[in-house]
Amino acid sequence: MRSPRWLPLVLFFVFGLAALPGATSAAAPVWSAASDAAGAASHDVKVGYDDAGNATAVWRKSSGGVDSVWASTLAEGSTSFGAATRLTPSSGADSLQVADLAFASDAQGNAVVGWTARQSTGAQHNVFFARRVGAASSWTAPQQLSDGNPATAPAVAFSAAGTATLAWRQTTADSYSQIRVSALEVTTGAVQPVQTIAPLSANAGQPELAFDPQGNGALVWTETGVSYSPPYIGAVALRAATLKTGSTSFTGSRLVFQSSSLTIDDPSVVYDAAGNATLAWGNRSSETGAAAGVWAATRIVGATGWPANAMSMSAAEPDVAASDAGGAVVSWVEPAQGAPADAGEVMAAYRGAGATSFDAAVQLSSVGETGVDPVVAAGRGGVTVVAWAHRQSSGDAARVAVMAPGTGVFEASQTLESTSAKISAIGAAVAADGDAVALWQPAGAQRQARLEGSTVPVEPTEPTPTPTTPPTTPTGPTEPTPTTPTGPTPTTPTEPTPTTPTEPTPTGTTTTAPTAPAPAPSSSTAPTATTPSAGTTPTTSGVTTKTTSVAQVPTATAQSLDADATTELLALPSLRSFKALAAKRFKPAATGEGLIGRGDGLALAATGNVAGTLRVVVTSTPLGGRAKNLKPALSAPISAGTTRLVFTGRLAGKPLPAGRYKLKAVFVDAQGRASNRRELSIAIKR
């Protein structure tokens, strides 16, 4: 039979081109077969490398109703983790329930673990930490960091060789909450004086820390204003402060994001070697808890603000990492229709070194895959790994995608192992030379796989499609064409030059940290892990080329810490005034409810910069007593400019008793963004 005329051309293309000088074949990064790690029944897996190539893993273990914290080390050149060490006591106070695990390590192998613990249900949470000096040393016994009041949400980061900084949420005696920060000399265990970040509003929480190699730092946290459950009023805000090299205090608090209809979820912050910081967070509906978007903000060296990028307006579960090579990667889940909550397509976006905006997002997971809980890890050399769990009806799969240094392009995603059970935790870390380790927890033993950094292509490879019909002319590998998801196309508004008002240093007190007895190394160890079984050879799938546009949002920079500041944030609503037009001591109306357009009661005027909704909470202020927010919260539409309203002095169908009150108001625009808060003192008479 006569050969087709096009066959020689195809053979030349396939074989001849490969023989040309400089030609290389596409090869996926090489991961080891999955094998047992040191843990079991683990949650909150955290991993970090030192410069010698040793990886340290810590996790929270739940067994028989008892929670505990464990750690293990994967030595350089080894293929398995060493025996696990228990960091929390096996009996006694604060030994039963553990949560809020935090971990950091540095280039020299020093490490610090923080957590919250309580002895029994209903007991008070306290914040503890344990430390290790060098990768070959033992862990110290736990030390309590918080004072005598309840404390939660520890965060930790290394600010210089041998020095770590810890932050946590501390409840005060009057049941408000603050952020407290203290430096820890890891070699000696000495805890430095505590800095208190006192929020403007009632409560602060979710602190996160990061430092660059020069010792500059960033602290981020959330603040919650006047609200109920679900919140009817009060801006939920994300704020950030910075610390300069040589300083001992965080200063210059900046408002990054705020809303009265959304909550803030999973904030995290990282630095690259040049000193550029990237902050990522998620939003959820305050009414339903549904995912409502992922954002990222970048503070370039020398800048004062945090320009924000909307990565997606429906996403959840963000994570971020940066490397010494510059730039950052944010990953998240784009929920899929019909999938469980916060499960769907795993996405990622790359910010190049020195840039303030992100490239278009790419989908890392395969078509139809249901991904959850992505984590991002970056090595000092720039190799970046995103790891996630793929939910399947027959069990979950541990999945990864690898990005070569500084490229912004990920290799085809790979399956490290398919399991017959749900994966309850996943973690990853990347070493300076590009080696990496991923850990995940199915039923039974914790599992791990290792990446050989030398197999990560310097230039990313693209999958070559297989032709379904014989070509008439030879063609090279074809890159898939990116497609844009349906929906409104985000636009890039022109940004006016922001005016940055001077902000005062966060007010607060400096106190001496509690002292603790000299710690003794813990010697308890977990049972030796079982002999590793043969794992599943990693498989690959082509990179899905779905892209989403990443919108550049007007710069949301500095606002004074004064709640009544008249300087407004660019692109945010402003309540310019809220005042009474008559005597503020008045009798309640005989009829009517809350805020009305006209009628009997106290005449008010509210001035906003755009149309939206005025939301007001009435607060009682009894003599010698504690202020109390009264229900229900009130709302009324207002126009751009000044709108006149009347407060009837009635709530829930009844007139307010005689006494002193405050009206606390915020203005919310059509996008759900809240303004600064204003207060008006009034009095009810009979």
Side-chain angles (χ1 to χ4, degrees), residues 154-184:
V156 60
F158 273 86
S159 52
T163 301
T165 298
L166 298 106
W168 66 97
R169 178 180 183 267
Q170 181 71 60
T171 303
T172 62
D174 55 2
S175 299
Y176 292 141
S177 59
Q178 303 170 333
I179 302 301
R180 296 192 177 175
V181 187
S182 180
L184 167 68

Side-chain angles (χ1 to χ4, degrees), residues 609-620:
N609 58 340
V610 292
T613 301
L614 182 73
R615 297 185 178 180
V616 177
V617 161
V618 182
T619 302
S620 65

Side-chain angles (χ1 to χ4, degrees), residues 182-329:
S182 180
L184 167 68
E185 295 296 334
V186 179
T187 54
T188 64
V191 179
Q192 302 303 311
V194 173
Q195 179 190 4
T196 296
I197 307 292
L200 287 175
S201 52
N203 291 292
Q206 301 186 74
E208 291 292 336
L209 287 161
F211 288 87
D212 69 13
Q214 292 75 42
N216 301 298
L219 168 69
V220 302
W221 68 94
T222 60
E223 290 187 6
T224 305
V226 179
S227 63
Y228 303 122
S229 181
Y232 295 101
I233 185 175
V236 175
L238 182 65
R239 302 193 70 90
T242 53
L243 179 147
K244 295 183 179 180
T245 302
S247 176
T248 58
S249 299
F250 286 89
T251 60
S253 174
R254 304 282 176 174
L255 176 61
V256 181
F257 181 89
Q258 66 176 350
S259 173
S260 64
S261 61
L262 302 171
T263 62
I264 295 170
D265 201 22
D266 297 326
S268 55
V269 62
V270 294
Y271 269 102
D272 62 24
N276 305 307
T278 299
L279 165 61
W281 70 94
N283 290 136
R284 293 186 181 275
S285 166
S286 58
E287 296 285 340
T288 66
V294 166
W295 292 69
T298 299
R299 182 187 175 106
I300 298 299
V301 174
T304 57
W306 296 78
N309 291 265
M311 315 304 290
S312 168
M313 299 310 292
S314 60
E317 305 294 331
D319 197 23
V320 61
S323 73
D324 285 7
V329 170

Side-chain angles (χ1 to χ4, degrees), residues 54-477:
N54 304 299
T56 298
V58 300
W59 61 92
R60 181 170 59 89
K61 178 181 178 181
S62 297
S63 178
V66 176
D67 293 339
S68 51
V69 178
W70 296 77
S72 178
T73 299
L74 174 68
E76 164 63 14
S78 177
T79 59
S80 60
F81 279 83
T85 299
R86 182 170 181 158
L87 305 186
T88 50
S90 57
S91 62
D94 302 304
S95 62
L96 181 59
Q97 297 183 357
V98 175
D100 300 334
L101 189 65
F103 168 70
S105 60
D106 68 2
Q108 287 69 45
N110 303 309
V112 174
V113 181
W115 65 88
T116 62
R118 61 182 180 179
Q119 188 174 9
S120 61
T121 301
Q124 173 179 301
H125 277 107
N126 294 303
V127 172
F128 295 84
F129 71 90
R131 57 191 174 85
R132 186 191 66 192
V133 182
S137 301
S138 300
W139 289 88
T140 66
Q143 293 176 252
Q144 183 171 330
L145 185 63
S146 54
D147 64 18
N149 294 307
T152 57
V156 60
F158 273 86
S159 52
T163 301
T165 298
L166 298 106
W168 66 97
R169 178 180 183 267
Q170 181 71 60
T171 303
T172 62
D174 55 2
S175 299
Y176 292 141
S177 59
Q178 303 170 333
I179 302 301
R180 296 192 177 175
V181 187
S182 180
L184 167 68
E185 295 296 334
V186 179
T187 54
T188 64
V191 179
Q192 302 303 311
V194 173
Q195 179 190 4
T196 296
I197 307 292
L200 287 175
S201 52
N203 291 292
Q206 301 186 74
E208 291 292 336
L209 287 161
F211 288 87
D212 69 13
Q214 292 75 42
N216 301 298
L219 168 69
V220 302
W221 68 94
T222 60
E223 290 187 6
T224 305
V226 179
S227 63
Y228 303 122
S229 181
Y232 295 101
I233 185 175
V236 175
L238 182 65
R239 302 193 70 90
T242 53
L243 179 147
K244 295 183 179 180
T245 302
S247 176
T248 58
S249 299
F250 286 89
T251 60
S253 174
R254 304 282 176 174
L255 176 61
V256 181
F257 181 89
Q258 66 176 350
S259 173
S260 64
S261 61
L262 302 171
T263 62
I264 295 170
D265 201 22
D266 297 326
S268 55
V269 62
V270 294
Y271 269 102
D272 62 24
N276 305 307
T278 299
L279 165 61
W281 70 94
N283 290 136
R284 293 186 181 275
S285 166
S286 58
E287 296 285 340
T288 66
V294 166
W295 292 69
T298 299
R299 182 187 175 106
I300 298 299
V301 174
T304 57
W306 296 78
N309 291 265
M311 315 304 290
S312 168
M313 299 310 292
S314 60
E317 305 294 331
D319 197 23
V320 61
S323 73
D324 285 7
V329 170
V330 177
S331 183
W332 65 90
V333 171
E334 198 71 43
Q337 187 172 6
D342 300 340
E345 301 160 347
V346 177
M347 309 293 292
Y350 172 71
R351 176 185 63 76
T356 58
S357 60
F358 284 76
D359 296 345
V362 296
Q363 183 176 331
L364 303 184
S365 53
S366 300
V367 176
E369 183 177 338
T370 305
V372 296
D373 302 327
V375 295
V376 189
R380 290 176 58 191
V383 172
T384 301
V385 171
V386 179
W388 66 94
H390 169 32
R391 291 279 186 262
Q392 303 176 109
S393 58
S394 58
D396 292 355
R399 300 267 287 152
V400 292
V402 179
M403 188 191 83
T407 62
V409 179
F410 283 84
E411 297 295 317
S413 56
Q414 298 171 269
T415 296
L416 300 181
E417 183 179 53
S418 292
T419 73
S420 59
K422 179 181 178 180
I423 293 176
S424 60
I426 193 162
V430 183
D433 61 1
D435 288 352
V437 63
L439 290 98
W440 60 97
Q441 180 62 67
Q446 196 181 74
R447 303 283 284 172
Q448 59 104 356
R450 302 171 311 283
L451 170 68
E452 179 58 52
S454 62
T455 66
V456 178
V458 176
E459 294 295 332
T461 58
E462 295 286 349
T464 303
T466 302
T468 57
T469 58
T472 56
T473 57
T475 58

